[in-house]
Amino acid sequence: YGRGPAAQADQTANQNLNLTTDQVKTRMEGWLNWRGNPRLKVGDVKEKDADTITADIVTKDNSLVQRFIINRHTGAYTQDNS
């Protein structure tokens, strides 16, 4: 399954990455390409607050598959199960 979009988080845990929405989108696109599922793509990537960015994984017809919550400072992510 791999380490996902935050693969470098372990190496940069003590650094403030200050990720932008564009950087998160690029990381998520790379992760999806690595996974090799051509039916999925990155949807909306939005700043939630000063510390958090949300990124949606959607199907080619824009149906939501999963939403990730990314800490913009560390790159760590979790799945939004709400």
Side-chain angles (χ1 to χ4, degrees), residues 5 8-10 12 18-19 22 24 30-31 33-34 37 39-41 46 51 53 55 72 76 79-80:
Q8 297 177 5
D10 293 341
T12 58
N18 199 29
L19 295 169
D22 287 339
V24 168
W31 178 66
N33 286 336
W34 177 77
N37 187 338
R39 295 171 293 187
L40 299 179
K41 64 180 182 176
K46 299 178 182 178
D51 300 318
I53 294 173
R72 74 176 334 141
Q79 294 182 11
D80 182 1

Side-chain angles (χ1 to χ4, degrees), residues 3-67:
R3 295 178 63 198
Q8 297 177 5
D10 293 341
Q11 298 170 0
T12 58
N14 294 326
Q15 297 177 5
N16 183 354
L17 298 177
N18 199 29
L19 295 169
T20 66
T21 55
D22 287 339
Q23 289 170 318
V24 168
K25 184 172 184 172
T26 298
R27 285 178 174 218
M28 297 299 287
E29 288 172 339
W31 178 66
L32 280 180
N33 286 336
W34 177 77
R35 297 288 307 230
N37 187 338
R39 295 171 293 187
L40 299 179
K41 64 180 182 176
V42 178
D44 289 337
V45 178
K46 299 178 182 178
E47 184 176 299
K48 182 176 180 182
D49 56 42
D51 300 318
T52 311
I53 294 173
T54 61
D56 292 347
I57 303 300
V58 298
T59 61
K60 290 296 181 181
D61 67 357
N62 294 316
S63 297
L64 181 64
V65 174
Q66 184 65 56
R67 177 167 288 144

